[in-house]
Amino acid sequence: MSHIDITLEEAHEYIKKEIEKEIEHYRCEHDIFFQAVEEVLLSIAPLYLADDRYAKHNIIRRLAHPDRIIKFKIEWLNDKNEIRVNTGYRVQFNNSMGPYKGGLRFHPSVNEGVLKFLGFEQILKNALTGLPIGGAKGGSDFDPKGKSDFEIMKFCRAFMRELHKYIGPRMDVPAGDIGVGSREISYLFGEYKKITSTFDGILTGKPLFSGGSLARTEATGYGVVYFTEAMLEIENKESLKGKICTVSGAGNVALHTIEKLLEIGAIPVTCTDSRGTVYDARGVDIAYLKELKFNRRGGSLEEYIVKHPEATYIPASEYPEDGHAVWNIECYAAFPCSTQNELTDLDAKNLIANGCVSVTEGANMPSTPEAIATFLKNKICFGPAKAANAGGVAVSNFEMSQNASMLKWSFEEVDAKLKETMYDICHNVAATAKEYGVEGNYVDGANISAFKKVADVMISEGI
Ligand code: GLU
């Protein structure tokens, strides 16, 4: 046993500081949730004024309160046979529209506040799809980075040993999110089947061979592009064909946004990860990017310029804290597809100065409130996440339908339904904005339309 050479007072000082850090951690944890709630509630003011039922039924307080938060311990063994402990969560936020539905996120930044923010957004996003799905979110502070395949499997199995008690095809149907793709969903599903001996559609985003839907992997990114095309059409702006686009991120959403942009003849010139930005003026080599990020998990974007020396790599460290290289590149349309609050007010101003006319959010809440205000003030076509990235969860609903009917739809069928859904969402949001006197404001249009759908069900069902 070794002894620490400090006085008792110094030890007390140290412990007090550690406790203060812990308290501060919990204090900050919920900031992001209130950011999301405030954005929505301030923008539904026109609806609130037009109809006194929402105040009478105390909808604001009732909607901002999750139905329940399940928090559990996950114990698992790493490859060195050391015992590891993580925290797991499922925030079942609101099931007015249908069974709880929303992804699982595995990332060290996950805490109750982050999942409450994501769950709250999910209620409204799911309502916008017009499909019968309620809102939820879950996950863990587990960091998949650097873990072996075997460790991922052991963690997923341990996670499901707790989660299975709270989910069901008519109750709550989780899916993937950051850090959870079809590999993780497969391990989770395998454990569910072992425990329950049932093959139920309790998860979406499953691989094709175990009940997954064609086009689910592509759905969020493809949907983001379909939404943008619809928005530009409504706003009488030129289409994306032949236009320079900037995209952030290099995960599932970013890759499939880039893929669809290339398919329709646009020129996506960037992708990013936490370490840096790739800028390839000829258009990103999607096949190589997929190879780097999907097939060879965790490959660094720095490798991209080894194969493509004419492209540029800008390390994140070379950029000031409140601005990002990717948003300082000239473009017609921008697609933030990385994570929350990744696009700051400075970034928004840089985009506008460089001629950007359209911004569509692929990630959940990637623009800060200040950045959104700047976009709206400058009449930029701005597609907010809860409308623009709803394609993923819409196809999740199609997967649930296929599972329930024991049928399989073709890729073309799913893709056509996805496109129709994204166009419907966009037209509905634009029409709602017009109806409530905020024409062209897709943020208010989406918030008002979604809030109204959920609130009306809550009022009709009583307490
Ligand atoms: N995580 C995705 C989202 O943010 C998909 C959720 C789902 O398919 O349930 O919408």
Side-chain angles (χ1 to χ4, degrees), residues 90 100-105 118 121-122 125-126 133-134 136-137 173-178 180 203-205 216 220 253 362-364 385 389-397 399-400:
R90 187 69 181 161
Y100 299 109
K101 182 86 198 84
L104 298 172
R105 179 176 289 193
L118 290 164
E121 289 283 297
Q122 199 84 43
K125 180 195 308 195
N126 295 3
I133 34 181
K137 205 83 189 189
V173 185
D177 197 82
I178 294 173
V180 179
L203 287 164
T204 60
R216 174 62 188 89
T220 313
V253 182
N364 288 313
N389 79 13
V393 78
V395 174
S396 274
N397 173 276
E399 184 173 330
M400 289 161 73

Side-chain angles (χ1 to χ4, degrees), residues 69 306 329:
I69 299 177
V306 177
I329 291 167

Side-chain angles (χ1 to χ4, degrees), residues 40-249:
V40 171
L41 297 181
L42 291 178
S43 87
I44 54 112
L47 178 68
Y48 227 68
L49 296 175
D51 190 338
D52 69 347
R53 291 177 313 140
Y54 302 114
K56 249 190 218 147
H57 289 264
N58 203 5
I59 295 296
I60 286 190
R61 296 291 306 282
R62 288 168 61 200
L63 192 64
H65 231 89
D67 289 353
R68 67 195 63 78
I69 299 177
I70 300 145
K71 185 170 175 180
F72 48 90
K73 179 174 67 170
I74 306 143
E75 297 168 315
W76 57 283
L77 272 184
N78 70 11
D79 286 345
K80 292 186 203 141
N81 275 339
E82 293 161 338
I83 298 173
R84 291 283 166 256
V85 185
N86 286 95
T87 308
Y89 306 85
R90 187 69 181 161
V91 179
Q92 295 180 335
F93 221 121
N94 187 298
N95 64 354
S96 297
M97 308 301 294
Y100 299 109
K101 182 86 198 84
L104 298 172
R105 179 176 289 193
F106 291 170
H107 193 268
S109 66
V110 162
N111 58 41
E112 205 174 295
V114 167
L115 296 177
K116 275 171 73 182
F117 129 62
L118 290 164
F120 180 73
E121 289 283 297
Q122 199 84 43
I123 308 169
L124 304 164
K125 180 195 308 195
N126 295 3
L128 283 177
T129 64
L131 298 163
I133 34 181
K137 205 83 189 189
S140 171
D141 55 0
F142 171 75
D143 187 359
K145 232 181 227 162
K147 302 289 188 300
S148 73
D149 198 50
F150 211 61
E151 288 175 322
I152 299 280
M153 181 188 80
K154 285 185 286 186
F155 178 79
C156 288
R157 291 198 170 274
F159 187 87
M160 185 51 89
R161 277 200 291 279
E162 271 304 313
L163 186 72
H164 84 274
K165 301 168 194 167
Y166 313 106
I167 59 176
R170 295 269 181 269
M171 193 205 294
D172 184 357
V173 185
D177 197 82
I178 294 173
V180 179
S182 67
R183 169 181 64 162
E184 290 73 19
I185 293 289
S186 228
Y187 290 144
L188 291 162
F189 192 42
E191 183 66 16
Y192 181 86
K193 284 194 282 184
K194 274 211 160 63
I195 298 170
T196 63
S197 303
T198 50
F199 192 110
D200 267 336
I202 46 91
L203 287 164
T204 60
K206 300 184 289 296
L208 289 181
F209 47 79
S210 55
S213 172
L214 282 159
R216 174 62 188 89
T217 313
E218 295 82 355
T220 313
Y222 282 18
V224 165
V225 178
Y226 294 147
F227 183 93
T228 310
E229 290 189 306
M231 178 169 71
L232 293 171
E233 216 173 274
I234 296 170
E235 299 302 319
N236 290 317
K237 295 277 192 289
E238 285 177 42
S239 83
L240 294 168
K241 196 160 188 243
K243 296 289 193 302
I244 306 286
C245 300
T246 47
V247 180
S248 66

